Amino acid sequence: MPIVTEKSFADRLGRGRLMQAAIAAFSPTFAPADISLAPAAFNTFLDSVAASNTAVANAEATWKNNAQSRVTMVKDVKAKALRVLSRVKSNTLWKGQVALVKAAVDELRGYRLPRLKSPPNVTPPVKTKPKGDQSYNDIKGLLDKVISRLAQVSGYTTGAPADITTVALTTLASTLDTLNKTIAANEVTLYGARAARTAAYDADDTGLKAKMLAIKSAALSQYTAQGSQYLEIKGIRV
């Protein structure tokens, strides 16, 4: 099976535009039995196909921007966790809590995340959660664990740098949780946009491929196999 790329879709749309320009110039006027194949109607259809390309591009950009923001946020979470541990270690009065805090911080900082990549082209089964999303949910849970351990450190927040107080860390955990949910919604939108685009190009009877084949058949019927009009579009790849 050939690899489908964004360029593949753009190329196919371009060939559709080429066919539309040809049939619009036919003389005598192209008059297919199916009026949706007429030049003006086919041009409107091609505009809808182009819109499906744009919808996918926009959905991918939104997903990618948020996913990259999440990667940056997790790096910040891990850096803050190290500072938290250093603060706990710095006070001899908290010596008894160091081991518990360190265990939680080490678990968080050692958690390896999958490489950032675009979600798959097909919608996953309803009961299956993408591995990447689960990983980031785990990071949120590990940050919660660090926060819960800090709650056992009496006086930790007093005088702490503002960005590593328990309040600030709790806000960070909440923000990460919200971003996880947002990205999950972004993926659903992207899956839907890709499915709609696939239908626009390849749906039986109504997709671009089907319409271009039908236009060739209509031209053959109207202008004959040797007609210059038919021969002009015969070789356009669908």
Side-chain angles (χ1 to χ4, degrees), residues 3 9 54 61 106 118 131 165 170-171 201 229 236:
I3 297 174
F9 287 111
T54 300
D106 286 349
S118 181
K131 182 178 179 182
T165 63
T170 299
T171 298
Y201 279 89
Q229 301 91 334
I236 297 177

Side-chain angles (χ1 to χ4, degrees), residues 79-92 94 98 101-102 105 109 150 156 161 164:
K80 283 184 169 64
L82 180 60
R83 291 170 57 205
V84 163
L85 178 57
S86 294
R87 177 170 172 78
V88 175
K89 285 181 175 180
S90 72
N91 190 339
T92 57
W94 298 333
V98 169
V101 173
K102 184 178 186 302
V105 168
R109 296 186 67 244
L150 288 179
Y156 167 81
I164 59 169

Side-chain angles (χ1 to χ4, degrees), residues 146-205:
V146 171
I147 295 169
S148 69
R149 297 286 171 83
L150 288 179
Q152 307 303 313
V153 181
S154 178
Y156 167 81
T157 291
T158 303
D163 61 339
I164 59 169
T165 63
T166 54
V167 171
L169 294 173
T170 299
T171 298
L172 185 58
S174 177
T175 301
L176 177 57
D177 186 47
T178 297
L179 189 53
N180 285 340
K181 293 174 181 176
T182 297
I183 292 172
N186 292 160
E187 289 181 1
V188 171
T189 298
L190 178 52
Y191 293 139
R194 285 174 171 168
R197 180 178 64 179
T198 296
Y201 279 89
D202 294 316
D204 293 342
D205 302 326

Side-chain angles (χ1 to χ4, degrees), residues 17-160:
R17 295 288 192 194
L18 179 64
M19 180 174 284
Q20 192 280 332
I23 64 176
F26 281 173
S27 180
T29 301
F30 183 50
D34 180 352
I35 60 174
S36 74
L37 305 178
F42 185 51
N43 189 58
T44 297
F45 169 75
L46 291 174
D47 287 343
S48 72
V49 174
S52 75
N53 289 345
T54 300
V56 170
N58 290 341
E60 285 182 342
T62 297
W63 178 87
K64 194 168 294 183
N65 287 339
N66 284 331
Q68 186 58 61
S69 293
R70 183 169 63 177
V71 169
T72 300
M73 182 180 294
V74 169
K75 290 179 180 178
D76 182 51
V77 165
K78 290 188 174 186
K80 283 184 169 64
L82 180 60
R83 291 170 57 205
V84 163
L85 178 57
S86 294
R87 177 170 172 78
V88 175
K89 285 181 175 180
S90 72
N91 190 339
T92 57
L93 295 177
W94 298 333
K95 185 175 181 180
Q97 302 299 327
V98 169
L100 287 176
V101 173
K102 184 178 186 302
V105 168
D106 286 349
E107 190 175 3
L108 171 59
R109 296 186 67 244
Y111 195 99
R112 296 178 63 85
L113 292 165
R115 294 179 60 186
L116 178 61
K117 59 183 179 180
S118 181
N121 283 312
V122 295
T123 305
V126 174
K127 294 183 179 180
T128 300
K129 179 173 287 188
K131 182 178 179 182
D133 285 349
Q134 183 58 54
S135 298
Y136 284 99
N137 287 331
D138 288 344
I139 287 289
K140 194 271 181 183
L142 292 172
L143 178 55
D144 287 340
K145 183 183 291 188
V146 171
I147 295 169
S148 69
R149 297 286 171 83
L150 288 179
Q152 307 303 313
V153 181
S154 178
Y156 167 81
T157 291
T158 303

